[in-house]
Amino acid sequence: MTAIPFYAQIINLLAALLLLLSFAMLAQRRVLSLVNLFAMQGLSLALSTAIVAYGTAQPHLYWSAGLTFVLKVFLLPWLLHRLIRQLDVRWDVEGLINIPTTMLIGIVLVVFSFNLAVPISELASTVTRSTLGIAMACVMLSFLMMITRRKAIPQVIGFLSMENGLFFAATSATYGMPLVVELGIALDVLVGMLILGVFFFQIREQFDSLDLKHLEKLKEGE
Amino acid sequence: MNVGGFISQLLQVLIALALAPLLVGWVNQCRAWLQNKSAPSLLLPYRTIHKLFIKDAVVADTASPIFRIAPYIVFGAMCCAAAIVPSLATDLPFASAADAIALVGLFALARVFVALAAMDTGTAFGSLGARREMFIGFLAEPALLMVLFTASLISGSTSLPTIVDTLAHREFAIYPSLAFAGVAFTMVSLAENARVPVDNPATHLELTMIHEAMILEYSARHLALIEWASAMKLFNYSCIGLALFFPFGIASGGDWLGVVGAAPTLVAKLAIGGFALALIETLSAKMRIFRAPEFLGTAFLLAVLGMLVNLLLGS
């Protein structure tokens, strides 16, 4: 085994942490803890980006790390907390489909994305290329979370954490996207979050709950 | 075949036999201390075993020979396990006879015989305990195997002394996979040793007990052997954990004098580990039995993730 630099080891550790947090979010039943887990995921993402910036001397990555930190550790969780408080769904516990089964599907997804990432990461020349598989696994797991959840807020958190995974994929495969693109995405996510917040109120006004199965019906009175 | 190897082998089994009840006593004392109770004596497990050995054994009329031989098999399996796990030295002649997978098999053998003996007398509690034990066991075993496989992948061998040698003498590197495996291993050992989140070793409440329900029918020397064997099981699990995740201080190669230096290190590590166990037990509440699949499923998930991360990152 070739020795990899120390900072790359820390990045690997943070990548593993990111994967673990994705699984924790998949298994979490309580909405409030879900938001906190999302904030922790953002924190590890910002840390790993900062370490990539330090290790590869890419100053523009410091900006994205800072942006991630402010946006995903403070602003978005704060917005979500406020939404949860206003909608009064703080103690919402979701009746998920069997958690161990979801976890097993999650493992299959991880194996799938690891296999998928191996040929791609062989082409990349970055020191962090091996974490690409983890980034893809995070995206897949967030997908799974959006599919298995029924309530609106966990679905939105799944969407946001998918963006985390994509961001991590960009960092690990190509040392990040150009700053303009990153700013654009950050703004998109923020605005999307605000709009979805308005949606939540509309949904609840219409159906008296945030359960999205009410949206499956096309006509009224069936 | 060398003399030093045999000496360290013998010393290791003797230390496991002698220190196992002390470890249980220490954990109980820490637990009492953490819960603001007055602690039982550190030597209480020795006195219990001694008391049980001088009593007359009572065996149920309906019991078959399995009931009589089970304690000896369980005790023997735990002694074998103590000989395989490199707690003091890695130069163990006996360890080449069995690798990590066989070690899991030894634990399974002991479990099967305790469960058989529990069902043998035909009491309701016995079969209830046996069923629960097998239920926990079949969930815990794959997770334990995955933890050992993660360590084997890093060192390229399933032989425990080789694994420990590789882990102890590598250059410093962060292994995320070992962190996953460590957490999974802690969860598995809690379940396997009938500790708090899964089973409560201090209770005889019908609805919750697992391990105690199985050994209700035993008395005197049989019970003493079983108690001693479960103390050795805890000791063995602690030693596996320490050897895999904190491997420093273990004598390596033909350096059998190093065993003398390794013994105090082991005692110190076990003391810290026992305190950590008491802390975990104090901080967590016992789960409903039907939450156990979720608990052990998480352990399995962590172990598999550790293995996958190891394959992907190569660390």
Side-chain angles (χ1 to χ4, degrees):
Chain A
M1 196 174 78
T2 51
I4 44 174
F6 185 66
Y7 74 87
Q9 289 179 17
I10 295 190
I11 292 168
N12 283 350
L13 185 70
L14 286 169
L17 193 69
L18 213 61
L19 187 63
L20 187 65
L21 284 171
S22 290
F23 266 103
M25 284 166 81
L26 201 60
Q28 187 54 254
R29 288 193 181 90
R30 287 183 186 280
V31 176
L32 268 188
S33 320
L34 204 57
V35 178
N36 293 339
L37 282 173
F38 171 71
M40 275 163 69
Q41 202 184 31
L43 183 65
S44 57
L45 187 65
L47 268 178
S48 70
T49 313
I51 290 169
V52 171
Y54 169 77
T56 58
Q58 304 248 354
H60 80 272
L61 276 180
Y62 282 119
W63 285 103
S64 21
L67 198 65
T68 314
F69 187 68
V70 173
L71 194 66
K72 286 173 187 156
V73 183
F74 291 107
L75 202 54
L76 284 179
W78 177 72
L79 275 174
L80 282 166
H81 270 296
R82 212 186 57 161
L83 260 180
I84 290 169
R85 209 170 42 238
Q86 284 175 352
L87 290 165
D88 200 26
V89 286
R90 197 179 316 188
W91 306 118
D92 244 19
V93 178
E94 206 174 10
L96 266 182
I97 59 161
N98 192 347
I99 284 182
T101 319
T102 321
M103 294 292 207
L104 285 180
I105 300 172
I107 288 189
V108 174
L109 282 179
V110 170
V111 173
F112 173 71
S113 41
F114 277 19
N115 268 322
L116 204 63
V118 166
I120 305 172
S121 52
E122 270 168 8
L123 293 175
S125 56
T126 56
V127 75
T128 51
R129 60 182 177 277
S130 52
T131 52
L132 183 65
I134 289 186
M136 291 183 67
C138 285
V139 175
M140 291 284 187
L141 288 174
S142 313
F143 242 137
L144 183 63
M145 183 170 149
M146 285 174 74
I147 293 168
T148 53
R149 298 295 174 124
R150 286 202 321 248
K151 298 263 168 71
I153 292 182
Q155 286 207 354
V156 168
I157 295 176
F159 166 73
L160 292 172
S161 100
M162 191 155 81
E163 205 276 324
N164 274 354
L166 286 173
F167 185 87
F168 191 64
T171 321
S172 58
T174 62
Y175 292 146
M177 296 170 269
L179 198 58
V180 183
V181 179
E182 255 164 45
L183 274 175
I185 292 177
L187 207 65
D188 266 2
V189 168
L190 193 61
V191 171
M193 184 62 231
L194 290 172
I195 293 174
L196 284 167
V198 177
F199 270 1
F200 288 164
F201 284 102
Q202 294 293 331
I203 292 171
R204 202 174 62 154
E205 210 161 285
Q206 209 75 37
F207 300 108
D208 281 333
S209 95
L210 282 174
D211 202 328
L212 292 183
K213 73 167 188 274
H214 297 297
L215 298 182
E216 285 165 7
K217 274 183 261 168
L218 283 174
K219 292 181 204 157
E220 267 181 71
E222 261 181 38
Chain B
M1 288 285 168
N2 54 354
V3 184
F6 272 109
I7 292 175
S8 48
Q9 180 77 76
L10 196 68
L11 210 62
Q12 192 176 301
V13 178
L14 285 180
I15 281 190
L17 279 172
L19 286 190
L22 189 69
L23 179 64
V24 174
W26 168 247
V27 172
N28 286 342
Q29 203 171 41
C30 284
R31 202 154 66 133
W33 178 66
L34 282 169
Q35 293 169 353
N36 255 344
K37 295 174 184 165
S38 59
S41 160
L42 202 58
L43 303 176
L44 187 66
Y46 291 107
R47 290 198 200 123
T48 313
I49 290 172
H50 178 248
K51 177 191 80 184
L52 287 172
F53 264 122
I54 52 177
K55 284 198 169 186
D56 279 334
V58 180
V59 177
D61 295 333
T62 52
S64 73
I66 288 183
F67 186 78
R68 286 167 194 276
I69 59 168
Y72 300 99
I73 291 178
V74 173
F75 190 72
M78 288 310 149
C79 286
C80 285
I84 297 169
V85 180
S87 54
L88 285 178
T90 54
D91 179 28
L92 303 171
F94 191 77
S96 55
D99 61 358
I101 302 167
L103 180 71
V104 179
L106 269 177
F107 287 129
L109 180 78
R111 188 197 344 269
V112 166
F113 267 91
V114 173
L116 277 181
M119 291 193 289
D120 189 52
T121 47
T123 59
F125 282 142
S127 14
L128 183 140
R131 283 172 192 203
R132 286 178 179 174
E133 173 77 4
M134 296 319 277
F135 173 61
I136 302 281
F138 104 94
L139 292 162
E141 240 165 56
L144 180 61
L145 274 174
M146 288 296 159
V147 169
L148 291 172
F149 285 159
T150 308
S152 316
L153 273 177
I154 290 176
S155 55
S157 158
T158 57
S159 149
L160 275 170
T162 320
I163 294 175
V164 174
D165 254 345
T166 327
L167 289 180
H169 301 109
R170 60 179 183 206
E171 54 186 309
F172 178 75
I174 299 174
Y175 284 92
S177 50
L178 272 187
F180 280 113
V183 177
F185 181 79
T186 314
M187 294 168 85
V188 171
S189 355
L190 286 174
E192 286 262 3
N193 287 296
R195 308 309 294 194
V196 149
V198 180
D199 186 9
N200 190 347
T203 184
H204 276 93
L205 189 67
E206 300 89 348
L207 291 176
T208 60
M209 60 186 175
I210 301 173
H211 181 73
E212 291 296 326
M214 290 194 295
I215 59 172
L216 269 182
E217 291 293 315
Y218 276 112
S219 59
R221 58 177 186 278
H222 299 132
L223 185 59
L225 279 178
I226 295 239
E227 295 276 350
W228 203 350
S230 44
M232 298 240 326
K233 190 174 183 185
L234 180 65
F235 187 88
N236 283 336
Y237 265 91
S238 317
C239 282
I240 298 173
L242 293 174
L244 288 184
F245 306 111
F246 306 97
F248 51 84
I250 292 176
S252 64
D255 175 27
W256 68 273
L257 274 176
V259 174
V260 182
T265 323
L266 178 71
V267 172
K269 284 197 283 188
L270 280 175
I272 297 170
F275 182 77
L277 175 61
L279 198 65
I280 294 174
E281 283 199 283
T282 309
L283 290 178
S284 51
K286 188 183 169 312
M287 297 183 298
R288 283 189 307 137
I289 182 99
F290 292 115
R291 291 298 289 276
E294 206 169 295
F295 181 77
L296 289 167
T298 312
F300 179 72
L301 171 92
L302 285 172
V304 171
L305 274 187
M307 209 165 75
L308 289 175
V309 165
N310 180 57
L311 284 175
L312 182 78
L313 301 179
S315 64

